[in-house]
C-alpha cells in the first residue's frame, strides 16, 4: 500500500538553529521558513536527493507539537510520511485492519498542498505516521 518515503518531520524549538545545522553543518539544501497557521507549525523544508526532511516548530498557542517538545526539549523525530496512491482507499483499508486514523478521519490539505491523514502511533510501532496522496 505505501509507496515512497515523502518526508521525515523533526520537531524543534529553535527553527533558525536547526536550519543552520542542516545548511551549515550538514550542507543540505534548506528553504526559508514557511508559516502554516492552519497546522500550528512553521516549517523549513530540506531537500535531499531521495526524500525530504521537514523541520517543524510550534506556531501559535495550540500547536499540535507543543506537548511533544515538552517531552523532548532537544527536539526529535515527530513523524514519518509515506505516499499512497489514493488517500481514501488507503484510509478505508487501514481502518479495516484496525488502525486508528486521527482527527475526524477526513483528509486535510498538508504542507505540500496534497491530502494527508495521520495514523495513531500505537498502531505503528510507536511512530506517528502521516500518509499523503502522491
Ligand atoms: Co508531515
Amino acid at each position: 500500500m505505501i509507496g515512497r518515503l515523502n518526508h521525515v518531520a523533526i520537531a524543534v524549538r529553535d527553527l533558525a538553529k536547526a536550519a543552520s545545522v542542516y545548511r551549515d553543518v550538514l550542507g543540505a539544501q534548506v528553504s526559508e521558513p514557511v508559516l502554516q497557521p492552519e497546522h500550528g507549525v512553521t516549517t523549513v523544508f530540506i531537500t535531499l536527493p531521495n526524500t525530504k526532511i521537514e523541520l517543524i516548530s510550534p506556531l501559535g498557542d495550540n500547536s499540535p507539537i507543543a506537548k511533544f517538545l515538552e517531552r523532548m526539549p532537544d527536539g526529535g523525530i515527530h513523524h514519518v510520511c509515506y505516499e499512497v496512491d489514493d488517500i481514501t482507499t488507503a484510509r478505508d483499508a487501514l481502518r479495516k485492519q484496525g488502525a486508528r486514523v486521527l482527527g475526524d478521519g477526513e483528509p486535510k490539505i498538508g504542507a505540500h498542498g496534497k491530502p494527508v491523514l495521520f495514523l495513531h502511533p500505537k498502531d505503528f510501532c510507536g511512530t506517528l505516521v502521516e500518509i499523503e496522496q502522491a
Side-chain angles (χ1 to χ4, degrees):
M1 176 196 297
I2 59 170
R4 285 161 31 103
L5 173 68
N6 186 276
H7 62 270
V8 175
I10 299 176
V12 297
R13 281 186 192 282
D14 187 338
L15 196 56
K17 190 174 157 195
S20 165
V21 167
Y22 270 84
R23 186 182 51 239
D24 304 325
V25 180
L26 293 172
Q29 186 189 321
V30 172
S31 81
E32 290 301 312
V34 180
L35 302 183
Q36 309 206 33
E38 69 279 12
H39 295 293
V41 296
T42 304
T43 307
V44 163
F45 297 99
I46 296 160
T47 306
L48 303 180
N50 64 338
T51 191
K52 295 185 285 276
I53 303 294
E54 294 182 7
L55 303 174
I56 51 178
S57 67
L59 176 65
D61 293 331
N62 297 314
S63 175
I65 63 169
K67 277 218 168 65
F68 179 90
L69 284 168
E70 271 170 35
R71 288 199 313 273
M72 316 252 302
D74 294 328
I77 294 179
H78 183 262
H79 64 267
V80 294
C81 177
Y82 303 120
E83 296 179 0
V84 296
D85 288 336
D86 183 277
I87 196 134
T88 49
T89 305
R91 176 198 62 196
D92 294 347
L94 287 161
R95 276 184 169 157
K96 219 173 253 174
Q97 310 255 18
R100 285 165 283 186
V101 178
L102 300 187
D104 63 8
E106 289 309 311
K108 296 204 169 32
I109 298 303
H112 309 285
K114 294 179 172 168
V116 303
L117 283 170
F118 285 90
L119 309 174
H120 201 296
K122 288 212 160 107
D123 298 331
F124 294 95
C125 315
T127 304
L128 179 61
V129 171
E130 179 180 21
I131 53 173
E132 177 177 300
Q133 187 162 293

